[in-house]
Amino acid sequence: NGAAFPKVRGSQSGQDSTRWHVVRKFLGLTSSHNIPVYLIDPLILGLVDKDIEQIRSSPDGPNPECKYFCAPRDFTTFALLDKTWKYEVGLFRTAEKMGFQWLKIINKDPRLDGMDDLSGMEIPLHYIFKLASHAIHLVVFYERSGNFLWHGPLRLKQHMDRKFVPFQKLHFGRYPGAYEKPELLLVSIDDLKVQIPKNPSSFLEEMSHSRFLECRYREARAFFQLYPDDTSHDAVEFRKKAKCLLHLAALTLNNLGVKFWLSSGTCLGWYRQCNVIPHSKDVDLGIFIRDYKADIIPAFQNAGLPLKHKFGKVEDSLELSFQGEGDVKLDIFFFYEEDDHIWNGGTQAKSGKKFKYLFPKFTLCWTEFVELKVHVPCETLQYVEANYGPEWKVPVKTWDWKSSPFNVQDNGVWPIDEWDNVIQIY
Amino acid sequence: MDEWKPNPAVKAHKKRSWYLAWKYKLMNQRALRKLCQTGAVLFLLVTVIVNIKLILDTRRAAYEEEEESAQDYDDEMLNVEAPRHPVNNKKVLDVEVYSSRSKVYVAVDGTTVLEDEAREQGRGIHVIVLNQATGHVMAKRVFDTYSPHEDEAMVLFLNMVARGRILIFTIKDEGSFHLKETAKNVLKSLGSQVAPFLSWRDMWTFVGKKGGEVYGEKHAKSPALSTWGDPVLLKTEVHLTSVEDAECHWPDTELNRRRKRFCSKVEGYGSVCSCKDPTPIEFNPDPLKDNKVFDVPVAVIAGNRPNYLYRMLRSLLSAQGVNPQMITVFIDGYYEEPMDVVELFGLSGIQHTPISIKNARVSQHYKASLTATFNLFPDAKFAVVLEEDLDISVDFFSFLSQSIHLLEEDESLYCISAWNDQGYEHTAEDPSLLYRVETMPGLGWVLRKSLYKDELEPKWPTPEKLWDWDMWMRMPEQRKGRECIIPDISRSYHFGIVGLNMNGYFHEAYFKKHKFNTVPNVQLKNVESLRKDNYETEIHRLLGEAEVLDHSKNPCEDSFVPDTEGKVYVMFIRMEQEADFTTWTQLAKCLHIWDLDVRGNHKGLWRLFRKKNHFLVVGVPASPYSSKKPSSVTPIYMEPPAKEEGAVAVPAVAAAEQT
């Protein structure tokens, strides 16, 4: 229809214009089927982000040159929200007529994985539309409990064409990912109307640590075969309170922008049984000391969680405890990073004794836990094993935080003159 | 006596009813003895026999339980086998059909497609439908025509089968006792010579093409009442037609592709597979204005009753305001045919690996289905829960859309249900009227996510507890004094007669005459008055307006209520404390409403209609509304029946739990 760039035709190479043409065809395909896709390509969003002010201010402005969609790359990546779309054979027929070759990657629905042996239809996770030398990667996002979006990993099944596209160069699909629901913005770039995340830079930031870990539902089921779940009134009540407290803590810390993860018993509960351990008495979170903010204490107090005790200080072995509803305690441990390990501290109030708990280095992943999107250490097994030893699979009801942990070390005694500061009990 | 034989006193084929019938029979014997007054010796003697009978009976029952536990909670066996190997290039099929007292089988080209030699089940006429082009088994049914009404079901089924299909019939044990004229005529019209004369314990096999030739028929007469006809084995050949002839030529659309896939696989769904004028599989009912339940997920709980599921989904997809994308069908087991039905309608279905047995299995299936529903629709605050044996009223979603905000805002509510346990043809009248009740009716209801996630899911009964989920949900520990909102006229209709706790008799007595709303767009009346405190005001207003009936008359008599319309009447019955339902139960019995346990009460008050008048029943002195009783009125007391009959009611209640 003549909507090509003079520059594309002229000075830019055929390769560049091919990319733009393929994107244009793909956008035409999706809009003709009312499929609301949005651009999540990190490369293009990176370029867009540099000019974001200008793009926002002139949504319809003509572009002098093909600046974004002609940039060299193998793929252009788009996203699709599952619930805004119903699978249609028609789309693929049209795609074929337009000359696209396409590939669909389906797999089990993780939202049913936690369930006792449910098998639904497999769900589409990724599509690839190939035309000439360019390909579109369409990532399907699903809503998950915990008010977030999830996309699946891209795994090729045996019969699939491994050379269809250079899969290892894809930006999405190496791992599953978790994202907030994005706010979208309709913009016109390179004369193409396209939806993009309203704030490309924060989307790119989010993307860089979006890796998602599924709970180990099968192992959890096996665990409950061995140790039947406690469904007594007390257990049910505790779980309910712990879930509530965790939701409140997550809300408070997220509002402050403080990154946290499930630690100690709460992490073990997630890893071993995909649930809160009913005989644990508290909720445990970890925070890197570099993320510490003085606002944390007042924020929790404002949320209705009074400070119960504060041990240590920012420079050393900091630990905060807040009193949740009905005897459930929220423990926040601050973690200190060293060259080859990470540790957190403990303090015995009556003696002033210090303890140190050592962990191998870890990174953070997202997971879903009690209807919440939260962080856990990606290297969960090492983390849990460091803390609970090789026997972590066996439930232990009597637990002494000073002696039971596998990784506890004595760490001296606080000097008497510091006690007022480093041992505060309310 | 250890031998099982059809016994005129034993009517239903379900084990539990069979057991019940035994008990009834024993009761009758006792009554007889009383009449005869033959004295203690005879009595003792008979008691000994009865006890021996009972012991044997119990043993057998236990044995049956074991046998049955391996099975599923449904009765039908549909297309369980994988499709037979393709026989496309072959023109002739060898068919073998065997009929006898204790065994039937059908083999097609040497492959056994039916074999039933299980003791004490599979009685009646077995029917198999083959595709005339491929020889694939498309449907497999058994109709226990020894029992009443099963012949009607068979006629219905045979009428559904497309012309040209191959039909194979064989009798196991007995298939004639309740095989009525109509059914015999249908069989005759298919070309059977013997069917019109089939009689007690005859053996019979028949192979024919619907609307076409007969491939063979064999028959063996029973020589005497006490014996069976000799086994018969029919061997015949069936000529296959071309695939072209066996398929319809519908226009190539996405819908018709679904239809084609379905119709080439299964049979017995009638006009949906008609070549000329197929019934639609997409319904596009009018949307609802301001639909508050458009985004509420709908979980359809299903077993292996694909014909029921088909009927249910049709009514559901025809209801105004339905949102097909929110519907998920949860199938308990790896059954193909229910999944075929789900796919026919373009819905999503989830299969559930069987765990546990019977009631507990249904219960586990419910739990898995509910959890999955909230996982799949994480934004949902509610879920609509339906079962495969319900018809859904055209205004089902409209009813929910108008009332759902109550469930969100009023914490004293437990659920909204589309079903009024006491809403029979003669006791329900007003489609715009809602009640609050202390019982949880189920059969089409709305569950709040927070109730499920925070309270029910964490302590849902584990498989080893053989509990019914609905009975469990009705227990005070779960319900915690909360109430459900129900309509006067039900928005669902329970049509299932084959189920775990269901049989034809039970269905006829308690479900058939249930009133079902067919009026679209009913505007509900004064919905706000259903809130906890408002409802009390409303009840007091009603009681204030109500005319006290003449308590000297018999409340069971029609004349108890004057021949008026649109008035409000009140009667007072004796109810010593909160759990004293003696008189209520008797009243319910004589009014022919639900009497197997107490349903539909609100603080010792029941609301229903009699002769188009609103009819209130207040239990005195337990109900707080007792104060409305004029001092001159003595609450009516109705005597419970004699002990013996009372004992029968116990298993009956157990049988009353709905599947």
Side-chain angles (χ1 to χ4, degrees), chain A residues 83 86 89-90 93 109 111-112 115-121 143-145 147 181 231 236 240 243 371, chain B residues 254 257 325 334 346-353 368 371-372 374-376 378-379 449 453-454 458-459:
Chain A
K83 78 165 186 182
K86 190 162 165 51
V89 187
R93 298 195 153 187
D109 189 339
R111 298 168 302 177
L112 302 176
M115 317 290 320
D116 291 332
D117 309 308
L118 287 189
S119 57
M121 298 162 182
E143 279 187 23
R144 298 276 303 249
S145 294
N147 200 29
K181 295 178 185 171
T231 54
V236 170
K240 196 171 145 185
K243 176 180 163 185
E371 292 169 70
Chain B
E254 208 165 324
R257 268 196 293 273
Q325 287 199 209
Y334 281 102
L347 300 173
S348 49
I350 289 174
Q351 291 168 315
H352 183 197
T353 315
T371 303
F374 289 120
N375 278 353
L376 291 171
D379 286 347
K449 180 178 182 177
K453 280 281 165 194
D454 297 344
K459 55 174 179 178

Side-chain angles (χ1 to χ4, degrees), chain B residues 580-652:
Chain B
D580 170 20
F581 299 114
T582 318
T583 302
W584 166 256
T585 305
Q586 295 320 308
L587 183 64
K589 222 168 236 149
C590 77
L591 294 180
H592 300 291
I593 57 176
W594 186 272
D595 59 5
L596 298 181
D597 55 7
V598 179
R599 302 274 176 99
N601 49 313
H602 167 82
K603 298 188 177 177
L605 165 84
W606 287 264
R607 297 176 65 179
L608 42 136
F609 281 85
R610 281 183 82 173
K611 295 185 185 170
K612 305 202 174 195
N613 300 293
H614 204 17
F615 177 69
L616 312 177
V617 180
V618 176
V620 177
S623 169
Y625 311 123
S626 301
S627 56
K628 296 280 178 179
K629 184 185 75 67
S631 51
S632 57
V633 168
T634 311
I636 288 176
Y637 174 67
M638 292 169 79
E639 195 81 45
K643 263 270 142 61
E644 269 189 0
E645 284 171 50
V648 180
V650 176

